Amino acid sequence: MAGRPAAKPRKSGGGKATKQTKAESLPAASSGVAFDSADIARRSELLWEAPAKPTRGPKAALTREDVVAAAIRVADAGDLAALTMHAVASELGYTPMALYRYFPNKEALVDAAVDAALGRPPARPGPHEGWRAEIRHWAYAKRAMLCARPWLAELPFVAAPHGPNWLSWHEAFLRTIAHTGLSPEDMMDVLSVVHGYVHGSSDTIISLARATARGVTPEQWAQAVGADLCRAINDPRYPMLSGILTSGSGGITPDSPLPTKQGKPRTMDESFDWGLERVLDGIALYLERK
Amino acid sequence: MAGRPAAKPRKSGGGKATKQTKAESLPAASSGVAFDSADIARRSELLWEAPAKPTRGPKAALTREDVVAAAIRVADAGDLAALTMHAVASELGYTPMALYRYFPNKEALVDAAVDAALGRPPARPGPHEGWRAEIRHWAYAKRAMLCARPWLAELPFVAAPHGPNWLSWHEAFLRTIAHTGLSPEDMMDVLSVVHGYVHGSSDTIISLARATARGVTPEQWAQAVGADLCRAINDPRYPMLSGILTSGSGGITPDSPLPTKQGKPRTMDESFDWGLERVLDGIALYLERK
DNA sequence: TGGGTTATGTTTACGTCATACACTGTTACG
DNA sequence: CGTAACAGTGTATGACGTAAACATAACCCA
């Protein structure tokens, strides 16, 4: 029963991805992110080197780009757990092992899919509106990108290999502060603080984005997360949290109001803006002092 | 061959964890983090409810705390991928299935291990040194905690269930700004911006911490990451990055200098401090304006 | 035009993982 | 002492990543 027609796509799954509705199985990241210095280097290598163009064998039916696009489609439709070799292969109508002709292992495929999914950074806003408006523009775009592809945020935020798009986002940021007179070290640190804030403070909205993508209404989601937090209320160990949560504000809210007390809790976007403005103020102060 | 003595630990592995030296297999988080509103609620439930104390059967040889402690030991010794039911069980000298008497599934065990691993937040610094020093203290402690247990940072940063320790860290933060006169909304947003910055900007040092925990010297690590970034040099698509990287600063550096050009690149701790001061400046400015 | 060579996709198999199920033995209440 | 509830075990199942072997297809050179 070995290899019948071969080199002919099987069209197994029927075309579309298996969808992997299997719900969640694992609770956590499964790591595997390489940290040996050699590993980091090897992983990046694959993001940059062009595939060797062979001339002898049969023509490849796919390209790396095809596989990456399929992987992104699968992850978009499900989540990071749905991104299996089987799912990607059947999305394309091939067997899982076919993918190994394009990527040496799953890690390499995911690395490539991640970089491709980052996409290009936003174009600079019209005329020169100043660094502040430009950083804001960049930060919103980054946040929107993560919300649009919540599975990217499922990746551990430890250093991943830096692909072309990853570098583009950083490059785009640096352009926003190119004319501020900052030293190279300062520029990198400004990048780090803004990038860090955007990344680190987006978890809640990303969680919401994921939930809504699965049909949970924002109200249901807020209810669940709120109920979770409200466990702290009346717990003497958490007097501050308790006070804030019962004050009618400070709750986690989607765009619609939360079913807590009165008050006007901020939406998540408003909270993000608020924090971003603090960060920008801090940077502005530094610029003034120089 | 079914169940011979039963209810007697097997001491299978010999005592210590299998170590799971298998290196990395998966490149990425495997998600599984629950996002249905019901799931979030159910997961938190397990973090708070005390296990039902039965009275009829034989005494349980372990407690949830024992299992959690073993899980943390396993994760500490390896990484998040090493944290398998098999590894935890054999760390304790039991079969994998024994753990299911304590936790309904792996997700619940990991949730519990994560909260336990967060530990208690730091004590407030001596006398009242002002909110700024207190936030700094908190931020350093959080960062140190993440570096000490890099596997925590492998978890996707999307909202996880909020256990007792998680709430304690937040509670401790709120105490640092309790006397600043901020509104509840502002307090939550200050928390969010600092927490977001600390979390989001720690990826590099956590990556380094992981690498060094595995025997990679900081120099080797910096070399590898630097070489990765340096791919951008001379690439016309990244003029800004290129310029910064060749300027001899802005490179990613451990505590020791990087083998780039001259200049005095900041250490990662210095960069973290720098960014944190910007954030604090922004908050201070807001306080002044009120 | 026809072998040799090499790359392609498939089949099969294996090891790891989480975990369902059935089982044996244990405990303490009635 | 019986019996019901529970502890830990063995086995099995299905998903996953991927190694190895294979059958085919395209190209090269003769």
Side-chain angles (χ1 to χ4, degrees), chain A residues 2-6 20 55-56 58 84-85 97 100 105-106:
Chain A
R4 237 161 319 125
Q20 204 77 9
T55 168
R56 287 305 269 271
T84 68
M85 298 304 264
M97 289 310 293
Y100 289 86
N105 49 43
K106 186 183 175 184

Side-chain angles (χ1 to χ4, degrees), chain B residues 12-31:
Chain B
S12 56
K16 282 288 114 183
T18 324
K19 205 58 174 302
Q20 204 75 11
T21 325
K22 197 220 161 214
E24 343 303 276
S25 55
L26 286 172
S30 59
S31 156

Side-chain angles (χ1 to χ4, degrees), chain B residues 113-135:
Chain B
V114 166
D115 195 71
L118 290 179
R120 312 295 302 177
R124 290 180 85 167
H128 284 261
E129 303 181 21
W131 61 268
R132 192 158 178 142
E134 289 198 43
I135 289 184

Side-chain angles (χ1 to χ4, degrees), chain A residues 31-52:
Chain A
S31 156
V33 185
F35 283 90
D36 310 75
S37 40
D39 272 338
I40 288 185
R42 182 177 45 70
R43 284 175 66 188
S44 297
E45 207 73 45
L46 280 160
L47 284 174
W48 291 89
E49 75 185 1

